[in-house]
Amino acid sequence: MTGGVTHEPLLLDAEGLAADRELEARFAESAHRILADLVGGGAALGWVEPPSPDEVAGLLRHVVSAVRAGDGALRVAYLDRRLVGFGYWLRYGRPTHRPHADLEKIAVAASAQRRGIGRSLTTALIDDARAAGIEVLTLDARGDNTHALALYRSLGFVEYGRLPDFVAVGERRYDKVFYMVDFRRQG
Ligand SMILES: CC(C)(COP(=O)(O)OP(=O)(O)OC[C@H]1O[C@@H](n2cnc3c(N)ncnc32)[C@H](O)[C@@H]1OP(=O)(O)O)[C@@H](O)C(=O)NCCC(=O)NCCS
């Protein structure tokens, strides 16, 4: 363990996380804190109410087992050994969609945003998808999530569809926007 104060984010994949027993042991709890805080602050992460610790732990177990099976990628970002962000993609389960994957979540703690961590995580996950031979990487986002959408466009994602007024948060309705990057069309 290195220990010192770095101020530079440390980006790990699932294997790197598993190699650091201390970080790995706290991962689910730290990820829950980030997700619950962001959702409590209104972030568009698929929940209306902050998820419970058990729900997040179950989700992460599912992601880690998919990564082990070669069906996903997980990236985590630490600042001074504090989890500040993470993201993952999972290969589609439907047999006819197996060449493709969905970037399901990218989350950066509010206190660590605007420092390039979201961009580093997304770039690494795109690289992981390309390296895994994924053909099309998709994602969807709430239409008012303009910061996230700008980030994805800047990394090569293009919009391929939109469901108007589909995402329900109480009485409010937002577009569901679908983005993709097609690696087969890239050099
Ligand atoms: C979206 C999110 C992951 C971005 O993470 P971040 O670490 O703050 O992003 P970065 O600092 O790497 O910025 C990347 C790009 O995002 C956009 N962006 C992020 N925050 C922005 C802001 N407050 N204002 C304008 N643009 C913003 C910009 O395009 C930025 O690129 P630039 O720095 O070249 O202008 C983060 O805001 C987050 O976790 N939001 C809540 C959860 C969420 O909405 N996740 C995405 C679900 S689809």
Side-chain angles (χ1 to χ4, degrees):
M1 189 176 101
T2 47
V5 174
T6 61
H7 304 297
E8 278 299 313
L10 170 70
L11 205 65
L12 298 175
D13 59 11
E15 209 179 319
L17 177 64
D20 190 322
R21 302 311 278 264
E22 186 195 320
L23 295 186
E24 193 198 24
R26 288 183 313 194
F27 176 55
E29 189 190 328
S30 309
H32 171 259
R33 175 183 45 77
I34 290 175
L35 292 176
D37 287 353
L38 287 171
V39 173
L45 280 161
W47 286 283
V48 175
E49 298 297 333
S52 69
D54 282 353
E55 188 177 358
V56 173
L59 175 68
L60 295 173
R61 276 196 301 276
H62 173 65
V63 171
V64 167
S65 78
V67 173
R68 290 204 181 114
D71 288 339
L74 170 72
R75 288 281 175 167
V76 296
Y78 286 86
L79 267 180
D80 302 330
R81 298 189 65 76
R82 185 172 66 94
L83 183 73
V84 288
F86 68 97
Y88 63 87
W89 57 255
L90 296 176
R91 197 184 279 275
Y92 280 88
R94 190 185 292 192
T96 53
H97 294 180
R98 290 293 287 163
H100 316 301
D102 193 48
L103 185 59
E104 294 200 356
K105 280 198 199 326
I106 297 279
V108 175
S111 60
Q113 289 180 6
R114 295 257 56 190
R115 293 183 185 196
I117 294 169
R119 183 176 293 284
S120 304
L121 287 168
T122 313
T123 302
L125 287 165
I126 292 170
D127 290 347
D128 291 342
R130 196 184 282 107
I134 294 297
E135 294 182 11
V136 179
L137 183 63
T138 60
L139 64 82
D140 60 77
R142 210 167 78 186
D144 66 328
N145 200 349
T146 51
H147 299 157
L149 290 168
L151 166 65
Y152 301 139
R153 280 194 305 274
S154 75
L155 293 174
F157 282 89
V158 293
E159 182 174 328
Y160 70 92
R162 180 179 284 256
L163 286 172
D165 299 329
F166 189 80
V167 182
V169 182
E171 293 305 307
R172 277 167 291 159
R173 297 291 178 270
Y174 302 90
D175 290 358
K176 179 170 179 171
V177 182
F178 299 92
Y179 275 17
M180 61 129 183
V181 58
D182 187 338
F183 298 116
R184 297 168 300 190
R185 291 174 206 283
Q186 294 185 341

